[in-house]
Amino acid sequence: MRRPLMLSALAALSLLVAAPAAKAAPEDIGGVWLTDDGQGAVEIAPCGGAVCGRIVWLKTPTMGGQPLRDARNPETSARNRPICGLRVLGDLQAKGNRYEGGWIYDPETGSRYRLSAELRKNGRLAVIGFVGLEALGETMEWTRAPASLGRCS
């Protein structure tokens, strides 16, 4: 009676050991996030097999009665684009427990950087912009925006 029970247990154990380890998926970072300086909010969502983000709220959406424009963009043809609605991050791919391989655009400087991101235990989103080595980059912590946050038009 003991032998069949032990054989069944060994068979079940061998199936568990032989099963491939499940790849850890990163937590979903979708939603609206306030930037670290509180001056804007970015909505992060899936796009074309990756993760992207657009500016959906600005604390100061206008200057001199006119909508803020992408005036510092290195491409002169893009300098008249409104900041509100502007795609500022893209191509993030889930890898392990984080997102990597993306880019982030800073409309204040007109600069584009490589990007990694991960959800921290405190619920904040660590957004790491860098050139070259990630370890030498700048980490910003974004917080989830309240549901009552308006949207720019």
Side-chain angles (χ1 to χ4, degrees), residues 30-113:
V32 179
W33 295 89
L34 286 173
T35 57
D36 60 323
D37 62 4
Q39 296 298 306
V42 175
E43 183 171 31
I44 297 176
C47 66
V51 176
C52 302
R54 293 188 181 280
I55 294 176
V56 295
W57 175 84
L58 293 167
K59 187 172 187 174
T60 309
T62 61
M63 183 178 284
Q66 297 296 314
L68 290 180
R69 304 280 176 190
D70 192 13
R72 296 209 169 116
N73 194 302
E75 295 179 33
T76 55
S77 62
R79 291 183 183 161
N80 202 31
R81 298 185 303 184
I83 296 290
C84 192
L86 185 66
R87 187 171 163 193
V88 291
L89 64 90
D91 298 334
L92 277 172
Q93 300 286 329
K95 294 204 177 161
N97 63 349
R98 58 194 317 237
Y99 293 83
E100 298 178 349
W103 55 266
I104 188 165
Y105 173 70
D106 179 1
E108 289 183 6
T109 64
S111 299
R112 188 170 156 156
Y113 304 94

Side-chain angles (χ1 to χ4, degrees), residues 124-144:
R124 293 183 177 191
L125 182 65
V127 177
I128 307 130
F130 60 99
V131 175
L133 298 175
E134 181 179 331
L136 301 176
E138 180 181 350
T139 301
M140 299 162 284
E141 281 198 353
W142 293 0
T143 55
R144 288 221 185 250

